[in-house]
């Protein structure tokens, strides 16, 4: 409180009990902060989290008119070294394609663009988890070790149909992909 009259006095100093209790709180709060930071650092390193570092812009309003995210390019393309690039469009309320097919044990780069609002995607059972913001290309690199099927739901609320927006990722043996360079058509589960 502001002092006006000048007659009020500070509480008697040297109240040992209050000082001790204040010190305990300082220690407790500092320890809590250190613990939380340690948890963030540990989980980031342990699960291989990383912030989206690539800021690559794109015109979200004209994805369908051509370019990298035109319809014929959506899906998986295998490079000569066996690695894969998967291009996906996220829009209300679906991922296109809605089933991604990727090779097991090979580096996979997933590139997503939103055609409308902010979406997110997580590949369950992996550390793949990112937002898809209109105007930017989201790039995630990973390797799926074992063949199998993963759900890939949208995890950013994107409108009334959000809960119905999901895809899946089918991991198959790398040998099942065509390797001849002339067959460079983007594929998804259906093709
Ligand atoms: Cu897209 Cu939620």
């Amino acid at each position: 409180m502001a002092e006006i009259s000048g007659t009020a006095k500070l509480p008697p100093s040297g109240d040992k009990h209050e000082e001790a209790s204040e010190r305990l709180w300082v220690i407790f709060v500092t320890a809590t902060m250190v613990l939380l930071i340690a948890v963030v650092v540990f989980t980031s390193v342990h699960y291989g989290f990383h912030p989206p570092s690539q800021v690559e812009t794109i015109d979200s309003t004209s994805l369908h008119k051509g370019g990298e995210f035109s319809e014929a390019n959506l899906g998986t393309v295998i490079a000569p070294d066996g690695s894969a690039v998967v291009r996906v469009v996220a829009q209300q309320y679906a991922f296109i394609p809605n089933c991604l097919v990727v090779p097991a044990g090979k580096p996979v780069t997933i590139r997503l663009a939103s055609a409308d609002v902010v979406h997110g995607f997580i590949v369950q059972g992996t550390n793949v988890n990112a937002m898809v913001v209109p105007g930017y290309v989201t790039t995630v690199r990973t390797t799926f070790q074992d063949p199998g099927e993963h759900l890939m739901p949208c995890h950013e609320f994107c409108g009334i149909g959000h809960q119905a927006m999901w895809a899946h990722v089918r991991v198959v043996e790398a040998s099942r992909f065509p390797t001849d360079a002339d067959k460079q058509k983007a594929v998804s589960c259906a093709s």
Side-chain angles (χ1 to χ4, degrees):
M1 275 306 195
E3 277 242 17
I4 300 171
S5 68
T7 57
K9 282 185 180 154
L10 287 171
S13 64
D15 187 327
K16 290 286 186 294
H17 178 71
E18 276 180 20
E19 263 180 38
S21 128
E22 199 159 312
R23 193 171 301 120
L24 272 179
W25 277 110
V26 169
I27 292 170
F28 175 72
V29 170
T30 308
T32 306
M33 290 194 301
V34 169
L35 177 70
L36 290 177
I37 292 168
V39 166
V40 169
V41 170
F42 173 76
T43 52
S44 303
V45 172
H46 185 72
Y47 295 109
F49 293 167
H50 50 86
S53 50
Q54 195 173 3
V55 179
E56 193 182 334
T57 57
I58 193 166
D59 180 3
S60 279
T61 60
S62 62
L63 294 181
H64 59 289
K65 289 181 185 160
E68 180 179 352
F69 290 91
S70 62
E71 200 175 346
N73 285 342
L74 300 181
T76 306
V77 173
I78 303 293
D81 66 357
S83 65
V85 178
V86 190
R87 294 186 176 83
V88 182
V89 165
Q91 65 178 40
Q92 292 166 318
Y93 296 100
F95 292 100
I96 308 166
N98 74 355
C99 180
L100 285 50
V101 60
V102 296
K106 300 282 186 185
V108 173
T109 302
I110 307 176
R111 288 172 62 77
L112 286 95
S114 168
D116 38 49
V117 300
V118 176
H119 299 276
F121 78 111
I122 181 168
V123 180
Q124 289 181 345
T126 74
N127 68 346
V128 176
N129 180 345
M131 286 169 75
V132 189
V133 181
Y136 295 91
V137 178
T138 298
T139 302
V140 176
R141 291 182 183 81
T142 189
T143 301
F144 298 93
Q145 294 302 344
D146 303 307
E149 193 101 10
H150 302 268
L151 284 179
M152 188 182 115
C154 174
H155 65 50
E156 290 290 335
F157 182 76
C158 52
I160 197 88
H162 161 71
Q163 84 285 353
M165 180 171 173
W166 56 275
H168 46 250
V169 176
R170 185 170 296 163
V171 186
V172 302
E173 298 290 353
S175 58
R176 287 177 55 187
F177 282 91
T179 46
D180 43 330
D182 52 325
K183 194 172 182 302
Q184 276 307 314
K185 197 168 109 33
V187 295
S188 61
C189 299
S191 41

